[in-house]
Structures are given as structure tokens and as C-alpha cells.
Amino acid sequence: MRLSLRSLSLAFALAGLALSATAQTAPEVVRVRILDRQAPSRISVEADGPLFVSVDGADAGASLGGTPLYLTANGAQARAEFGGADLSGREIRLTGDRLRVRASGVDRVYAGALVAYTEGGQLRVVNHTPTEPYVASVVASEFGFNAIEGAKAQAVLARTYAARRVGKNFHYDLDDHTGSQVFHGVDAASDVSRRAAHET
């Protein structure tokens, strides 16, 4: 599929406006609510290496690499089960390298941290992800072509939109679907989308 000169020109013009407006204010981390449309009741999380767990801000141990941790809702609290531990709290935070999430037919890898809580008795999970891997993933999902200049324009738009959404909700800034920007984790990024994020 070829992009028309007009559509590329429009994308560049919009990207230029967005870049001049917010390039200096892009956050280092964005909070993306994941799996909202799937609404899973149980989520499996693994990491490459230890998966560190904190409950309501206090260290609560770690799950060893390759051993899954399970998140569920426990009434008004989030619940984490791993290695014989069964912990509940208002907020459960998971950190580790390459956080692999499986639930409701979804299998994705995220960077940064995952924060679980409940809302209306339903489990919610937010990925606190570095902005640049987020942008690269969004570009690959929403632009999807190998044209680097078009990918750069999309990267500027994605970063600008993310910057403008910071702080709009208490727990999260963005959703992982078309209600915000499509984000399927770090493994969804391509070489072109990573280059576009880096070069912008």
C-alpha cells in the first residue's frame, strides 16, 4: 500500500505543530490501562528474572523468574498469588524485566511496572511504561508501514497525545485501545517504529 503525497504532507504538518507545542513536556513514563476491553478476572504475570511485589507501598517479596504470579480481584482489593503467598491490598505493584502478561487470549510483554487495583469489584491493571517504548509500539500498531518519515510523523503525534493525556485520570493516563492509542506492549514494536521513536 502506498501513501499519497497529500496524506504524508498532512501528517508532517500535524507532526510539526505537535512537536513545537509539546516536545519539551513529554513525560518519561506514561500510565496505560491494559486489558480494559478484555476485562479478565485472572491475569498471569511472569518476568525475565525476579518479579518484585509491593502491596500498598510495602515490599512483599518476589516471584522467581519463570514462575507465574496470578492477579485477581478480592472484593474491593487486588490479590496476588505466587510461590505459596496470597496477598491482598488496595494496590499491588509488580516490577521486573520484560513483564509477560497472559489473560483472556492475550499474551503480551510490557516494560516498566504493572499496578493492579480494583474498581467496582473488577480487576484493573495499569502499565507504568517508559514513554519511548510506548511510542514505538503505538507507531507500529497505528502506522504499520516501513516508510521512516511517515513513522516519524506518527511518533511525534503519539508522543504529543500521550503528553497531553498525563494526569487526566487518577490511576491512568491512556487506554491500550482505540479509545486512546493502540498499545500492545513492547514486542509489538518494529525496527522502523523504534527508529522513529528514537529519532524524534
Side-chain angles (χ1 to χ4, degrees):
M1 180 177 204
R2 297 185 64 180
L3 296 175
S4 72
L5 183 58
R6 181 178 175 170
S7 62
L8 275 178
S9 295
L10 178 60
F12 292 140
L14 290 172
L17 288 172
L19 183 59
S20 65
T22 62
Q24 301 304 315
T25 60
E28 290 185 25
V29 173
V30 292
R31 303 170 306 157
V32 185
R33 182 170 64 173
I34 63 172
L35 306 176
D36 178 53
R37 288 198 168 155
Q38 291 82 4
S41 59
R42 181 177 168 94
I43 297 173
S44 166
V45 182
E46 296 177 42
D48 288 357
L51 178 60
F52 299 99
V53 183
S54 67
V55 177
D56 296 334
D59 289 339
S63 176
L64 300 179
T67 303
L69 175 148
Y70 296 99
L71 293 171
T72 56
N74 184 18
Q77 296 188 322
R79 178 181 185 184
E81 299 171 85
F82 62 98
D86 188 344
L87 307 170
S88 293
R90 289 183 314 279
E91 182 180 283
I92 296 174
R93 184 180 184 91
L94 309 176
T95 56
D97 292 331
R98 290 183 52 81
L99 302 167
R100 186 170 191 176
V101 172
R102 293 182 178 113
S104 300
V106 171
D107 186 346
R108 298 179 185 154
V109 175
Y110 297 94
L114 298 175
V115 176
Y117 63 99
T118 61
E119 185 176 63
Q122 185 173 357
L123 181 65
R124 304 285 191 195
V125 179
V126 177
N127 179 207
H128 291 220
T129 181
T131 299
E132 296 317 305
Y134 169 77
V135 168
S137 179
V138 169
V139 169
S141 297
E142 295 204 342
F143 182 69
F145 300 99
N146 285 325
I148 186 61
E149 295 306 321
K152 286 182 185 179
Q154 184 71 41
V156 172
L157 293 171
R159 189 180 296 105
T160 300
Y161 182 80
R164 290 186 174 172
R165 294 293 306 164
V166 169
K168 295 291 185 184
N169 294 293
F170 181 74
H171 288 288
Y172 65 97
D173 305 314
L174 302 142
D175 284 304
D176 68 352
H177 51 71
T178 55
S180 293
Q181 299 184 121
V182 178
F183 172 62
H184 291 160
V186 294
D187 283 0
S190 66
D191 290 342
V192 169
S193 71
R194 281 188 285 269
R195 179 182 162 196
H198 175 74
E199 292 185 7
T200 56

